[in-house]
Amino acid sequence: MECREILEVLNRMADVSYACGWDNVGLLAGRRDKEVHRVSVALDADDRAVEEAIQGGSELLLTHHPLLFSPIKRITDESPAGRRLLALLRRDMCLISMHTNFDIAPGGMADLAADRLGLIKRTPLEVTGQGPEGPYGIGITGDLPGGAMTLEKLCFLVKEAFGLQNVQLYAPTAPQEAVRVAVCPGSGKDAIPFALAAQAQVLVTGDITYHYGTDAAAEGLAVIDAGHYGLEHIFIPYMTAYLKKQLPALSVDPVTARQPVRFL
């Protein structure tokens, strides 16, 4: 099977047209006519993922986060990105990334995260477009199915749903329960105004810095920071299963999920 055929299958699930204008998705390295028998799926094209894909005999590495976000002037072994690209190209491997197109596409990252939390009555958090079935966008706002839940219990739910050891909670001063939840996998500080506009009581996201978190809490919006990796590692099992179902003749291996941050 050629790389271009795999691209076509991936685009049926999350077309590159869904991606934000600043993003870099699709085939980032390699040949469209490359014959592919084995694919490795990872969150990032980091050193360990590249090495595991190479050692496993894959001809294609599929990641969520792009290895290249902006133009580069040289590809050498003097930078992490350069070393990884050289390792892939030396072995004639392809690299495909599905980033904000997967985040935004119906049934993609936002819906997967909302599924894990069991959210109902869903609407897009930040609308980016309109499709045949209605608006779509970044993140999801929805209700907890069992009614109001304390923030502490919701933190435990997030940890259990995403297999995490800990999360950070920025809570308003006044005691609060949550029914309306916004979830934005990845880096979500820019989602705060959209969560407030949606009248969510809590935002579940990652990469919230101290000042953004405390300011959101001051506005009455609790924030559960589960980490960038914490909410997005679900890409690996989902895309592994998707490719196995859509292309049963293809061997698909999930790269071993590794939390890049150690909590000591």
Side-chain angles (χ1 to χ4, degrees):
M1 174 177 303
E2 292 187 353
C3 176
R4 64 164 56 93
E5 297 175 82
I6 299 171
L7 273 169
E8 291 172 1
V9 171
L10 295 176
N11 281 336
R12 287 202 295 268
M13 187 268 159
D15 192 84
V16 295
S17 63
Y18 283 113
C20 296
W22 50 262
D23 203 5
N24 191 26
V25 301
L27 181 63
L28 302 188
R31 299 183 289 113
R32 288 180 180 270
D33 63 353
K34 169 68 177 177
E35 191 70 22
V36 176
H37 303 280
R38 183 176 294 275
V39 176
S40 290
V41 182
L43 186 64
D44 300 281
D46 58 17
D47 293 334
R48 289 187 292 185
V50 170
E51 181 61 24
E52 190 170 324
I54 291 171
Q55 293 300 319
S58 291
E59 295 92 5
L60 189 153
L61 176 60
L62 171 64
T63 68
H64 179 50
H65 295 134
L67 178 57
L68 300 172
F69 268 109
S70 55
I72 59 174
K73 295 183 178 181
R74 57 181 59 86
I75 301 175
T76 73
D77 62 358
E78 296 174 332
S79 71
R83 289 193 298 272
R84 295 161 191 166
L85 280 171
L86 286 171
L88 292 169
L89 296 177
R90 189 179 299 121
R91 291 162 178 82
D92 193 23
M93 290 178 63
C94 297
L95 172 65
I96 296 175
S97 294
M98 301 174 67
H99 192 214
T100 52
N101 55 322
F102 184 77
D103 289 337
I104 292 171
M109 188 75 83
D111 279 310
L112 295 179
D115 288 344
R116 293 209 173 198
L117 296 176
L119 299 184
I120 59 174
K121 301 179 182 178
R122 301 178 190 178
T123 57
L125 180 58
E126 178 186 352
V127 175
T128 61
Q130 182 77 27
E133 299 181 1
Y136 56 80
I138 296 174
I140 291 287
T141 307
D143 290 349
L144 293 169
M149 180 180 293
T150 66
L151 296 179
E152 288 75 14
K153 287 185 178 179
L154 184 54
C155 285
F156 283 111
L157 173 62
V158 171
K159 290 197 293 182
E160 182 179 16
F162 292 91
L164 306 176
Q165 293 183 340
N166 52 27
V167 297
Q168 295 184 71
L169 172 64
Y170 295 89
T173 303
Q176 183 175 335
E177 293 186 334
V179 174
R180 192 73 172 157
V181 176
V183 58
C184 182
S187 182
K189 61 180 183 296
D190 293 335
I192 290 173
F194 295 99
L196 288 167
Q199 298 182 325
Q201 285 106 23
V202 61
L203 169 65
V204 181
T205 189
D207 290 350
I208 291 294
T209 59
Y210 175 81
H211 291 292
Y212 278 95
T214 54
D215 285 350
E219 293 290 328
L221 175 68
V223 178
I224 297 175
D225 186 339
H228 201 123
Y229 166 90
L231 296 180
E232 290 196 329
H233 66 85
I234 58 177
F235 173 85
I236 300 174
Y238 178 82
M239 288 309 305
T240 299
Y242 178 81
L243 284 176
K244 285 183 176 181
K245 181 178 180 180
Q246 297 297 319
L247 300 170
L250 199 64
S251 295
V252 186
D253 301 320
V255 168
T256 305
R258 303 177 182 91
Q259 168 63 270
V261 179
R262 294 178 63 193
F263 299 93
L264 304 176

